[in-house]
């Protein structure tokens, strides 16, 4: 049986790093893609994944990645994790450059990657039965919340790529999977969103009993890609038990209500 190869973006930290580890543990070859070459080198040493440094907001970098992949073997899965949020402002106070950055990293990077890698994914599907394109979006794509409009809009845009692509590729053995996590506590997401304010970032998770962590999402990603080839998990929405909705969080211990 051919060893399947996945390209994982955003692999230098958080969910992307965890997904790289989970896929390597379940037998995949992985090309780990991110901007930070030093972090990728550590991951390569730890897991045996192949590191590839690239800025996915640059078309030249995406084209070079596609050319390098074509010269080094088959591609069976694209796992697009790279993305992020900047700011928690009301619409009237939002910074256009923050919104533009979010659109670039969450939406346009996904479109660039699909356009560049789809020919190779088709080849992988033709030779080995099926291929996968998996997007990690967010529950922010499903429900708006005050102070989140820029990220809501960007993640909703990314989600629509997945929905449209599934229709456009109907009839081909290529699965389109969307994983939409709710609150995930990672070292960098809230910190980057809130301009490096460590106290504000910590307060996001204050009192939440067991928020999701990157490994939880990575387990779901690996499960989806390792499912039988005829099974497509269109949309997986996952939240910690303490988060019943995008805006409804239980802060404090979870307890059974007494009669």
């Amino acid at each position: 049986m051919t060893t399947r190869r996945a390209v994982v973006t955003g692999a230098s930290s958080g969910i992307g790093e965890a997904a790289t580890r989970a896929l390597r543990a379940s037998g995949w070859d992985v090309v780990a893609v991110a901007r930070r070459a030093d972090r990728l080198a550590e991951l390569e040493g730890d897991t045996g994944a192949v590191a590839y440094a690239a800025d996915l907001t640059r078309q030249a970098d995406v084209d070079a990645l596609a050319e390098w992949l074509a010269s080094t073997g088959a591609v069976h899965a694209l796992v697009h994790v790279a993305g992020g949020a900047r700011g928690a402002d009301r619409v009237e106070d939002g910074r256009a450059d923050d919104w533009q950055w979010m659109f670039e990293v969450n939406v346009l990077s996904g479109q660039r990657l699909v356009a560049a890698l789809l020919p190779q994914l088709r080849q992988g599907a033709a030779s080995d039965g099926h291929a996968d394109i998996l997007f990690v979006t967010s529950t922010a794509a499903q429900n708006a919340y005050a102070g989140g409009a820029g990220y809501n809009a960007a993640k909703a845009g990314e989600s629509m790529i997945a929905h449209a692509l599934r229709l456009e590729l109907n009839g081909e053995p290529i699965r389109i999977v969307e994983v939409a996590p709710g609150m995930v506590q990672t070292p960098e997401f809230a910190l980057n969103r809130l301009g490096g304010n460590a106290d504000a970032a910590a307060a996001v998770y204050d009192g939440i009993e067991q928020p999701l962590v990157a490994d939880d999402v990575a387990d779901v990603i690996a499960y989806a890609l390792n499912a039988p080839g005829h099974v497509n998990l269109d949309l997986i929405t996952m939240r910690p038990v303490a988060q019943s909705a995008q805006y409804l969080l239980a802060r404090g211990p979870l307890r059974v209500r007494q009669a």
Side-chain angles (χ1 to χ4, degrees), residues 120-139:
Q120 295 177 57
L121 289 161
R122 283 182 165 129
Q123 291 175 7
S127 63
D128 298 304
H130 73 277
D132 296 281
I133 302 174
L134 186 150
F135 297 88
V136 176
T137 61
S138 169
T139 54

Side-chain angles (χ1 to χ4, degrees), residues 5 21 25 30 34 43 57 95 121 129 136 156 168 174 177 197 201-202 207 212:
R5 184 165 72 149
R21 295 181 184 278
V30 177
L43 183 62
T57 68
R95 293 168 50 90
L121 289 161
V136 176
E168 292 168 0
I174 300 176
V177 180
N197 186 327
L212 298 180

Side-chain angles (χ1 to χ4, degrees), residues 67-187:
E67 183 177 353
W68 179 82
L69 288 167
S71 70
T72 55
V75 178
H76 302 92
L78 168 62
V79 181
H80 187 41
V81 184
R86 279 189 182 173
D89 302 314
R90 294 162 57 93
V91 173
E92 62 187 299
D93 301 319
R95 293 168 50 90
D97 55 346
D98 286 343
W99 285 47
Q100 183 172 350
W101 180 86
M102 287 188 280
F103 194 80
E104 284 278 353
V105 301
N106 292 288
V107 181
L108 292 182
S109 65
Q111 186 276 329
R112 288 188 179 99
L113 283 163
V114 170
L117 299 188
L118 189 53
Q120 295 177 57
L121 289 161
R122 283 182 165 129
Q123 291 175 7
S127 63
D128 298 304
H130 73 277
D132 296 281
I133 302 174
L134 186 150
F135 297 88
V136 176
T137 61
S138 169
T139 54
Q142 302 170 5
N143 299 103
Y145 57 95
Y151 188 56
N152 290 142
K155 281 302 185 184
E158 184 182 6
S159 177
M160 286 300 107
I161 292 176
H163 286 290
L165 197 56
R166 193 177 297 114
L167 302 177
E168 292 168 0
L169 299 184
N170 178 252
E172 300 189 50
I174 300 176
R175 305 186 296 189
I176 309 298
V177 180
E178 179 183 356
V179 178
M183 176 176 277
V184 184
Q185 186 171 15
T186 62

Side-chain angles (χ1 to χ4, degrees), residues 181-187 201-217 238-243 249-252 254:
M183 176 176 277
V184 184
Q185 186 171 15
T186 62
V204 171
Y205 310 103
D206 187 42
I208 304 299
E209 184 172 320
Q210 290 188 301
L212 298 180
V213 295
D215 286 343
D216 296 323
V217 184
M238 55 186 300
R239 296 186 177 94
V241 173
Q243 185 181 33
L249 289 159
R251 296 190 185 271
L254 299 176

